[in-house]
Amino acid sequence: DAALEALELAVTKGQNDKQFFQFLRHRAMAYEKLGRVRPALEDLNRSNLLNPKHAPTLQMRARILLSLDRLAEAGNDLTKSIDLDATSAEAWLLLGHLRLKQSKWADALPALEEAASLDPACAETCRLHSICLDRLGDRRGALRILSTGLCLLRPDSPEWPPYLRQMRILRTPR
């Protein structure tokens, strides 16, 4: 809460600063961490109006829109973000996640493969890549990718339980 107060003050005082969009983005990050996605989205919308070609803002907004199941808007932001910075593993991961939510398994695969090539140490990419391969009928490949991702995590990690659930699903005969 103290950090959010400091960001509130910075936003209030910095409105004439040419980097004001960054203040808004940082406050949005704080809101998002506190689970307050609506004010985070409002700040990201304002930040994007001030600097519509800032890929990290577009990615963050897409992540929030994705969590709200506003898939078309998230897709638009991700397309713009990737056009601006095709080297962002997070943008490709989010695009893969979007395609999975849309049940577009074949479209999700290249996005997740690109995310994995850009950041091979991302456990979440491995988990989503595994889900995608399973949906495409490649259970052996899904298990291999999931096992790789599991090695990237510590057992006390909050990401551990979803991995174990996915591992149980993959090990259950069809």
Side-chain angles (χ1 to χ4, degrees):
D1 279 340
L4 187 56
E5 286 178 28
L7 285 167
E8 296 282 353
L9 182 62
V11 166
T12 302
K13 289 187 173 191
Q15 291 189 27
N16 295 322
D17 189 307
K18 65 181 177 181
Q19 293 296 311
F20 180 62
F21 79 97
Q22 291 281 27
F23 291 123
L24 291 168
R25 192 171 74 81
H26 288 288
R27 186 171 69 176
M29 283 184 216
Y31 280 139
E32 185 183 22
K33 285 196 186 313
L34 294 170
R36 297 174 58 192
V37 294
R38 299 286 179 202
L41 192 54
E42 289 170 14
D43 277 355
L44 291 169
N45 289 339
R46 285 179 63 201
S47 180
N48 188 60
L49 286 172
L50 295 168
N51 189 349
K53 293 187 177 192
H54 190 250
T57 299
L58 290 165
Q59 289 166 24
M60 188 175 176
R61 189 167 71 172
R63 184 175 60 243
I64 290 173
L65 291 167
L66 197 57
S67 75
L68 297 171
D69 285 325
R70 291 169 56 180
L71 305 184
E73 294 168 90
N76 289 336
D77 280 357
L78 290 169
T79 299
K80 291 175 193 170
S81 175
I82 290 169
D83 285 346
L84 292 167
D85 179 10
T87 65
S88 169
E90 182 182 7
W92 289 104
L93 171 63
L94 290 169
L95 182 61
H97 190 187
L98 170 71
R99 297 297 182 236
L100 288 175
K101 281 187 153 224
Q102 295 172 321
S103 300
K104 295 181 177 178
W105 324 126
D107 293 339
L109 187 60
L112 293 167
E113 287 172 339
E114 185 65 21
S117 74
L118 292 167
D119 184 5
C122 179
E124 181 64 3
T125 299
C126 292
R127 188 179 73 80
L128 294 178
H129 192 177
S130 171
I131 290 169
C132 184
L133 289 172
D134 184 43
R135 299 282 161 75
L136 288 169
D138 183 2
R139 191 158 266 206
R140 182 170 284 142
L143 273 167
R144 182 180 48 77
I145 294 288
L146 192 66
S147 296
T148 299
L150 201 54
C151 292
L152 298 171
L153 296 174
R154 294 171 31 133
D156 61 347
S157 164
E159 295 172 311
W160 190 264
Y163 263 84
L164 293 180
R165 280 193 297 278
Q166 183 65 17
M167 189 63 78
R168 279 192 289 277
I169 290 168
L170 292 174
R171 289 193 170 155
T172 303
R174 290 187 186 201

